[in-house]
C-alpha cells in the first residue's frame, strides 16, 4: 500500500502564514490597538511554526499546483532563513514601536503576508507562480514602508518604493510575456528545453526579467530606491527590508536563472557579471560619503548583493554549478546574520529626546557600552570580509567559485571593492573606539540584546565549526540540478 501525500502539503507553511495573518487581522479589527502586543507575539510564533513545518517536511522533492510550486532542499534552506529573518525583525521592533508610539497591529500582519509571498517566490517553478509571490511580498512592503503616516520621510519612502516597484513589476511581466511568446510555456523546465534553440525574443525577455529581479535585490542599475527608502522608512521596517526580502530575492534570481535558462548561459552570465561589478563598485564608493547609518547600510546592502551575484555568475557548467550556488547560499545566510546584528544596534541608538541615526552619535561607544561596541565592531569587520570572521568565508566561497569558472577579472574586482568598502566599516569602528564619548544611549532592550548576541557570536565563532551551514548549503545547491 503506497501512501500518497496530501496535495497541499508542500504549501503548508505558506497556508499557515496566510491563514494566521487573516485570523490576526480579525483579532486586531475587533480588539483595536490594544491587541498589538498579542498580535506581535502570535506572529512570531506563527513564523517559528512555519519554519518547523518546513524542516519537518519529507526530504524528497515535493510539488503541487500542477508543478508550479516545488519544495526541495534549496527551498527548505532559504525558507527557514527568510522566516527566521522575518521573526527577528518583528522581535526587534517590539520595544522600538512602543517607545515611538507607532504600535499598529497591522505591522506584524503585513510582515506575515510579505513572508508568505517570499515562500511562494522561493518555491516558484514557473513564471506565473513567481510573479504571484513577488507581488504578494511587494504589496505588503509598499504599505509597511509608509506605515508611519505622521512622518513625511516615511510616506515619501513608501510612495517612491511603490512607483518604482510598479515600474519594475511591469518590466518583469513584459520579460515574462516575451519568454512565453518565444517558448510557448511558462514553466522553468519547459523554458529550459526551449532555450537550447535560443532566439532574440528569449534574450530580450531575459533582459527585462532580470530588470525586475535586480530591483527586488537592490542591484545596480535598479538600486535607486534603496537609500531613500532605507532612510525614510521606520527603522524596524528598514531592518526587515535589509534582511528577509533579500533572501527571497536571491532565491528567485538563482532558481529562475540556473533552472530555466541553461541553453543561453553566455547571455545571462554577461548580464550577471555586469550587474555584479556595478553593484560592488557602487556599494564600495557611494557609501564613503554617507553620515546617516541607515543610508550607509543601504549602499552596503547593494554591495553585498553584488558579491552574492559573483557566485551566480560562476554557476554555468558541470559540477561547478552546484559549488557556485553553494557559495551564494552561504553568502546570503551569513549576510542575513550580519545585517540583523547591525540593525539590532541601530535600533538601540536612542536618547531621551528620541532616536538618532548619525554615525557620529556612536562616538565613544566603547567606553559607554563596551559589549555592544565590541559585537558591532565584529559584525562590521565581518561585513568588510576580515578573517577569521564569517564574512570572510562568505566572500571566500563566491570568489573561489568565480576563479574556478575562469572569471578572474570579476574575482579581482570583487577583492578590490571589498578592500575599498572596508574603509567605511572601519570608520564606524574608529568613531566608536577613538572619538570622545557622546551622551550614552538608553539601555538596550532584551530582545535586541538577544538578536545581537546570537548574530555576533555566530559571526565571531563561525570558523570553529562551519560544517552545519556548509553541508546544508551543499545539499540545497545540489537539489537544483
Amino acid at each position: 500500500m503506497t501512501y500518497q501525500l496530501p496535495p497541499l502539503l508542500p504549501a503548508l507553511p505558506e497556508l499557515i502564514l496566510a491563514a494566521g495573518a487573516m485570523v490576526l487581522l480579525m483579532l486586531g479589527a475587533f480588539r483595536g490597538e490594544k491587541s498589538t502586543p498579542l498580535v506581535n507575539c502570535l506572529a512570531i510564533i506563527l513564523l517559528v511554526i512555519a519554519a518547523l513545518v518546513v524542516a519537518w517536511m519529507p526530504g524528497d522533492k515535493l510539488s503541487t499546483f500542477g508543478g508550479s510550486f516545488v519544495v526541495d532542499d534549496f527551498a527548505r534552506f532559504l525558507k527557514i532563513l527568510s522566516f527566521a529573518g522575518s521573526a527577528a525583525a518583528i522581535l526587534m521592533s517590539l520595544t522600538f514601536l512602543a517607545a515611538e508610539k507607532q504600535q499598529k497591529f497591522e505591522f506584524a500582519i503585513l510582515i506575515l503576508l510579505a513572508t508568505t509571498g517570499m515562500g511562494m517566490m522561493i518555491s516558484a517553478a514557473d513564471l506565473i507562480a513567481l510573479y504571484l509571490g513577488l507581488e504578494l511580498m511587494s504589496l505588503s512592503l509598499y504599505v509597511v514602508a509608509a506605515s508611519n503616516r505622521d512622518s513625511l520621510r516615511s510616506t515619501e519612502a513608501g510612495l517612491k518604493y511603490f512607483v518604482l516597484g510598479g515600474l519594475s513589476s511591469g518590466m518583469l511581466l513584459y520579460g515574462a510575456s516575451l519568454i512565453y511568446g518565444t517558448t510557448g510555456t511558462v514553466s522553468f523546465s519547459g523554458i529550459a528545453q526551449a532555450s537550447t534553440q535560443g532566439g532574440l525574443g528569449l534574450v530580450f525577455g531575459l533582459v527585462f526579467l532580470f530588470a525586475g529581479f535586480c530591483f527586488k535585490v537592490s542591484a545596480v542599475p535598479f538600486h535607486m530606491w534603496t537609500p531613500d527608502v532605507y532612510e525614510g522608512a521606520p527603522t524596524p521596517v528598514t531592518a526587515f527590508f535589509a534582511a528577509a526580502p533579500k533572501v527571497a530575492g536571491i532565491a528567485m534570481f538563482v532558481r529562475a536563472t540556473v533552472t530555466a535558462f541553461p541553453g543561453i548561459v553566455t547571455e545571462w552570465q554577461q548580464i550577471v557579471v555586469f550587474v555584479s561589478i556595478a553593484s560592488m563598485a557602487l556599494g564600495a564608493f557611494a557609501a564613503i560619503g554617507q553620515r546617516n547609518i541607515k543610508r550607509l547600510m543601504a549602499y552596503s546592502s547593494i554591495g553585498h548583493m553584488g558579491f552574492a551575484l559573483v557566485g551566480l555568475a560562476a554557476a554555468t557548467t558541470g559540477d561547478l554549478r552546484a559549488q557556485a550556488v553553494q557559495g551564494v547560499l552561504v553568502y546570503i545566510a551569513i549576510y542575513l546574520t550580519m545585517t540583523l546584528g547591525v540593525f539590532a544596534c541601530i535600533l538601540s541608538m536612542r536618547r531621551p529626546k528620541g532616536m538618532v541615526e548619525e554615525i557620529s552619535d556612536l562616538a565613544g561607544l566603547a567606553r559607554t557600552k563596551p559589549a555592544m561596541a565590541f559585537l558591532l565592531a565584529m559584525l562590521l569587520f565581518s561585513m568588510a570580509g576580515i578573517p577569521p570572521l564569517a564574512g570572510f568565508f562568505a566572500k571566500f566561497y563566491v570568489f573561489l567559485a568565480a576563479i574556478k569558472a575562469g572569471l578572474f577579472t570579476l574575482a579581482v574586482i570583487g577583492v578590490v571593492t571589498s578592500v575599498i568598502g572596508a574603509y567605511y566599516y572601519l570608520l564606524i569602528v574608529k568613531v566608536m573606539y577613538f572619538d570622545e564619548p557622546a551622551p550614552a544611549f538608553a539601555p538596550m532592550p532584551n530582545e535586541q540584546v538577544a538578536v545581537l548576541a546570537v548574530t555576533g557570536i555566530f559571526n565571531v565563532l563561525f570558523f570553529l565549526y562551519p560544517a552545519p551551514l556548509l553541508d546544508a548549503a551543499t545539499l540545497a545547491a545540489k537539489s537544483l540540478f
Side-chain angles (χ1 to χ4, degrees):
M1 179 179 175
T2 59
Y3 174 71
Q4 188 172 5
L5 293 171
L8 292 180
L9 177 68
L12 185 58
E14 288 75 21
L15 293 174
I16 289 171
L17 293 178
M22 296 301 102
V23 171
L24 294 183
L25 184 60
M26 293 299 101
L27 176 65
F30 284 111
R31 295 193 59 189
E33 296 301 333
K34 65 181 181 181
S35 66
T36 302
L38 177 61
V39 168
N40 288 336
C41 293
L42 291 176
I44 294 171
I45 292 170
L46 280 171
L47 286 164
V48 172
I49 291 172
L52 292 174
V53 170
V54 171
W56 161 81
M57 281 185 179
D60 300 329
K61 184 175 181 178
L62 310 175
S63 67
T64 188
F65 302 121
S68 63
F69 188 98
V70 299
V71 177
D72 48 17
D73 290 325
F74 179 84
R76 291 185 188 92
F77 181 88
L78 289 159
K79 282 185 183 182
I80 290 173
L81 284 183
S82 60
F83 293 172
S86 298
I90 298 175
L91 182 66
M92 291 192 298
S93 73
L94 299 179
T95 304
F96 177 95
L97 294 175
E100 293 288 308
K101 295 182 173 55
Q102 294 178 22
Q103 282 189 308
K104 299 179 179 70
F105 70 86
E106 298 93 342
F107 175 75
I109 295 168
L110 287 165
I111 288 186
L112 283 181
L113 292 173
T115 309
T116 306
M118 292 177 213
M120 290 183 65
M121 284 168 58
I122 292 169
S123 286
D126 70 23
L127 295 173
I128 295 175
L130 185 149
Y131 181 72
L132 289 174
L134 183 67
E135 283 306 290
L136 178 56
M137 180 189 81
S138 298
L139 289 171
S140 303
L141 297 184
Y142 299 151
V143 179
V144 83
S147 57
N148 184 7
R149 289 169 294 185
D150 298 327
S151 167
L152 182 62
R153 288 200 314 171
S154 179
T155 50
E156 180 186 350
L159 183 61
K160 284 181 178 176
Y161 190 33
F162 172 68
V163 172
L164 294 172
L167 175 64
S168 75
S169 294
M171 295 176 75
L172 188 146
L173 269 181
Y174 182 59
S177 68
L178 286 173
I179 292 167
Y180 173 70
T182 304
T183 63
T185 180
V186 293
S187 74
F188 291 167
S189 57
I191 294 169
Q193 291 177 353
S195 69
T196 55
Q197 301 174 7
L200 198 60
L202 189 64
V203 175
F204 272 108
L206 181 71
V207 170
F208 282 101
L209 193 72
F210 275 18
F213 290 173
C214 289
F215 181 90
K216 297 306 174 187
V217 300
S218 305
V220 175
F222 300 96
H223 66 284
M224 67 292 289
W225 62 274
T226 314
D228 291 338
V229 173
Y230 273 42
E231 182 182 10
T235 308
V237 175
T238 306
F240 176 60
F241 274 28
K246 293 292 190 292
V247 174
I250 286 292
M252 168 182 70
F253 217 135
V254 171
R255 186 189 289 278
T257 302
V258 302
T259 62
F261 301 102
I264 51 171
V265 167
T266 305
E267 287 83 352
W268 67 250
Q269 186 189 48
Q270 291 174 350
I271 299 171
V272 173
V273 167
F274 166 75
V275 168
S276 175
I277 291 174
S279 299
M280 291 187 295
L282 184 93
F285 289 102
I288 290 175
Q290 301 302 320
R291 292 299 173 258
N292 181 289
I293 195 164
K294 287 165 67 177
R295 286 187 75 88
L296 184 143
M297 289 302 297
Y299 286 109
S300 171
S301 174
I302 293 167
H304 281 293
M305 292 303 102
F307 289 119
L309 292 175
V310 169
L312 178 58
T316 51
T317 56
D319 296 336
L320 183 60
R321 294 185 301 171
Q323 184 179 347
V325 172
Q326 180 220 22
V328 176
L329 297 179
V330 170
Y331 196 98
I332 202 66
I334 292 174
Y335 165 80
L336 180 71
T337 63
M338 295 187 297
T339 301
L340 289 173
V342 170
F343 271 98
C345 295
I346 295 173
L347 282 161
S348 69
M349 292 170 61
R350 169 178 294 282
R351 298 201 175 102
K353 293 182 179 179
M355 289 293 298
V356 290
E357 298 176 358
E358 299 300 309
I359 293 172
S360 57
D361 292 308
L362 290 166
L365 188 67
R367 276 168 274 183
T368 56
K369 289 183 175 290
M372 176 181 165
F374 172 76
L375 288 176
L376 178 56
M378 291 300 103
L379 288 165
L380 293 170
F381 283 142
S382 185
M383 283 189 156
I386 295 175
L389 301 170
F392 165 76
F393 292 96
K395 291 181 179 177
F396 171 78
Y397 285 112
V398 292
F399 291 158
L400 181 64
I403 290 170
K404 287 188 175 181
L407 300 172
F408 302 110
T409 303
L410 180 61
V412 170
I413 292 173
V415 172
V416 170
T417 54
S418 185
V419 171
I420 295 169
Y423 167 80
Y424 54 82
Y425 296 123
L426 295 175
L427 176 65
I428 300 175
V429 176
K430 173 258 180 190
V431 169
M432 291 193 297
Y433 276 85
F434 298 105
D435 286 10
E436 286 300 313
F441 297 137
M444 198 174 192
N446 292 333
E447 60 270 17
Q448 292 166 15
V449 170
V451 172
L452 176 60
V454 170
T455 55
I457 291 171
F458 171 83
N459 275 275
V460 171
L461 301 181
F462 174 78
F463 74 98
L464 294 177
Y465 192 47
L469 178 59
L470 297 181
D471 292 344
T474 302
L475 202 63
K478 287 180 178 177
S479 71
L480 280 181
F481 307 105

